Amino acid sequence: MNIRVLSFGVSTDGYGAGPNQGLENPLGVRGPELMEWFFPTRVWRRMQGQDGGETGVDNGMAERGFERIGAWILGRNMFGPVRGPWPDESWKGWWGDEPPYHVPTFVLTHHARQPLEMAGGTVFHFVTDGIESALAQAKKAAGDRDVRIGGGVATVRQYLQAGLIDELHLAIRPVLMGSGESLWAGIDMHALGYEVAEHIAGERAMHVILRKR
Amino acid sequence: MNIRVLSFGVSTDGYGAGPNQGLENPLGVRGPELMEWFFPTRVWRRMQGQDGGETGVDNGMAERGFERIGAWILGRNMFGPVRGPWPDESWKGWWGDEPPYHVPTFVLTHHARQPLEMAGGTVFHFVTDGIESALAQAKKAAGDRDVRIGGGVATVRQYLQAGLIDELHLAIRPVLMGSGESLWAGIDMHALGYEVAEHIAGERAMHVILRKR
């Protein structure tokens, strides 16, 4: 069982999201450029119920992102744009009736809410007592499979700084974001014990796998 | 005539030099990892008077770094570890009697010094009146060829922030530096008008070419 960040797009200048995130721009302005290695893949097209798509290196890396995952953890902003207490139960994520998780998915929030069962096996659990509690619950749910920390940037940074992530697969994109959420600012990955274990040139990104030394 | 940064190694987490630069570690501790795409190339081996070396994508990019260059600009720290006024004329750069520049090379410093003529055509000129003056002198010396800003990081950042660089070729290395000199911290490359014009997967780096939009 490993705690993993997978298929996480990062710009050449180190941003994992663009500026001005919100309902219109979940990943920030120009943020989708971080995932433009993913959108042409067969994996992505299947997620959209479409045929075709590329089957090269980038697609292979995207496939790895869904193997052996028994639970997900998402930050509140990755679940939705709602801030503060939940006004009602109407927001059910960015993904429609059938989210792409298909396993128990733990959402970090400061505001309690009943679990939400979606089509296709995804159940959103809302965790109000911190990242370590969310991880403990996710590990229990995942059994001998892995826990995937989905994001966003702030959530990945919190788990990194707590030393709780075993592996990160980053897709380093040849784009400049300029501003937004930096993955690296104020984080010393060497001091935290990470090194690049593997790197693979994809069609639209350099894939790097980071693990603890 | 263009003002260019070429063959500039940057870690995945955005550092252009490692921590604790000095006489023992000109590029900082672990800094040479940023150039490990360059050391196996035929270009590098020839610079060392050696035969052989790889002739793949990385070597091709290294070759591009020396084409049409009529003058170089170096920061004081890239020229040497001496700080403050020059105690004497004994420090002549990191490179021995025949530096790899072979053209007029302008060194930014706060402390005046006579020009220094080396074997093989390199003449070091010491410029005390700022980056714009150094650039004007370098452009004049380069004629219709290009000016290459050699580094280090602080020098590249100063020229970037002044909007004076036309093109940067960065070799993004699959290594984590953790600390050192960040190329990106506090610099908004999008607001400065840069975008990725080209990207090429090399054997040991992702090469990105940045130009103004």
Side-chain angles (χ1 to χ4, degrees), chain A residues 12-13 30 172-179 184 187-190 194-196 199 201 203 206 208 210, chain B residues 12-13 30 172-179 184 187-190 194-196 199 201 203-204 206 208 210:
Chain A
T12 295
D13 51 348
R30 292 179 288 111
I172 308 297
R173 286 272 301 146
V175 300
L176 295 169
M177 202 55 49
S179 58
W184 310 120
I187 291 192
D188 184 332
M189 290 294 283
H190 183 77
Y194 293 95
E195 66 180 0
V196 176
H199 67 100
E203 292 80 8
M206 176 173 71
V208 295
L210 314 183
Chain B
T12 295
D13 51 348
R30 292 180 289 110
I172 308 297
R173 285 273 301 146
V175 300
L176 295 169
M177 202 55 49
S179 59
W184 309 121
I187 291 193
D188 184 334
M189 290 295 282
H190 183 77
Y194 293 95
E195 67 181 359
V196 176
H199 67 101
E203 292 81 8
R204 294 182 181 82
M206 176 174 70
V208 296
L210 314 183

Side-chain angles (χ1 to χ4, degrees), chain B:
Chain B
M1 124 93 64
N2 283 293
I3 316 305
R4 305 161 75 197
V5 172
L6 296 165
S7 294
F8 201 80
V10 179
S11 70
T12 295
D13 51 348
Y15 292 92
N20 303 319
Q21 294 174 69
L23 184 58
E24 297 298 312
N25 294 293
L27 273 171
V29 176
R30 292 180 289 110
E33 293 180 19
L34 303 172
M35 297 308 287
E36 274 173 10
W37 66 275
F38 187 51
F39 300 141
T41 64
R42 188 170 64 176
V43 168
W44 170 260
R45 292 181 64 89
R46 280 192 182 163
M47 284 169 65
Q48 313 301 311
Q50 298 175 321
D51 288 332
E54 297 181 10
T55 57
V57 172
D58 289 339
N59 185 68
M61 296 303 296
E63 279 177 351
R64 282 169 62 169
F66 292 94
E67 289 167 2
R68 302 193 316 276
I69 305 301
W72 287 65
I73 295 174
L74 308 181
R76 168 74 178 263
N77 298 355
M78 189 161 164
F79 180 70
V82 183
R83 302 290 179 269
W86 304 99
D88 53 46
E89 307 280 303
S90 62
W91 181 267
K92 295 181 176 180
W94 302 101
W95 308 277
D97 292 333
E98 187 172 343
Y101 304 110
H102 310 295
V103 292
T105 297
F106 297 85
V107 178
L108 299 163
T109 169
H110 294 294
H111 303 281
R113 180 170 167 182
Q114 289 301 306
L116 185 59
E117 194 166 342
M118 307 294 289
T122 300
V123 181
F124 291 116
H125 299 274
F126 300 88
V127 180
T128 56
D129 53 349
I131 65 168
E132 307 221 2
S133 168
L135 184 56
Q137 294 178 55
K139 284 166 91 162
K140 193 172 170 193
D144 57 1
R145 286 181 294 165
D146 293 339
V147 173
R148 178 166 165 179
I149 315 248
V153 178
T155 299
V156 172
R157 286 172 56 90
Q158 280 184 284
Y159 279 104
L160 271 178
Q161 286 169 311
L164 294 172
I165 297 177
D166 297 307
E167 181 185 297
L168 299 92
H169 157 221
L170 306 179
I172 308 297
R173 285 273 301 146
V175 300
L176 295 169
M177 202 55 49
S179 59
E181 277 192 283
S182 170
L183 181 58
W184 309 121
I187 291 193
D188 184 334
M189 290 295 282
H190 183 77
L192 287 170
Y194 293 95
E195 67 181 359
V196 176
E198 198 181 338
H199 67 101
I200 306 122
E203 292 81 8
R204 294 182 181 82
M206 176 174 70
H207 300 279
V208 296
I209 312 291
L210 314 183
R211 294 200 189 97
K212 294 222 174 175
R213 288 188 297 274

Side-chain angles (χ1 to χ4, degrees), chain A residues 10 30 35 42 67 76 105 138 149 164 170 173 175:
Chain A
V10 179
R30 292 179 288 111
M35 297 308 287
R42 188 170 65 179
E67 287 166 4
R76 169 75 178 262
T105 298
I149 313 243
L164 296 171
L170 306 180
R173 286 272 301 146
V175 300

Side-chain angles (χ1 to χ4, degrees), chain A residues 87-148:
Chain A
D88 54 45
E89 307 280 302
S90 62
W91 181 267
K92 296 181 178 181
W94 301 100
W95 309 277
D97 291 333
E98 188 172 340
Y101 304 109
H102 310 294
V103 291
T105 298
F106 297 84
V107 178
L108 299 163
T109 169
H110 294 294
H111 304 280
R113 181 170 166 181
Q114 289 301 307
L116 184 59
E117 194 166 341
M118 308 294 289
T122 301
V123 181
F124 291 116
H125 299 274
F126 300 89
V127 180
T128 56
D129 53 350
I131 64 168
E132 307 222 1
S133 169
L135 184 56
Q137 295 178 55
K139 284 166 90 163
K140 192 173 171 193
D144 57 2
R145 288 180 295 165
D146 293 339
V147 174
R148 178 167 166 178

Side-chain angles (χ1 to χ4, degrees), chain A residues 31-51:
Chain A
E33 294 179 20
L34 302 172
M35 297 308 287
E36 274 172 12
W37 67 276
F38 187 52
F39 300 142
T41 64
R42 188 170 65 179
V43 169
W44 170 260
R45 291 182 63 90
R46 280 192 182 161
M47 283 170 64
Q48 313 300 311
Q50 298 174 323
D51 287 332

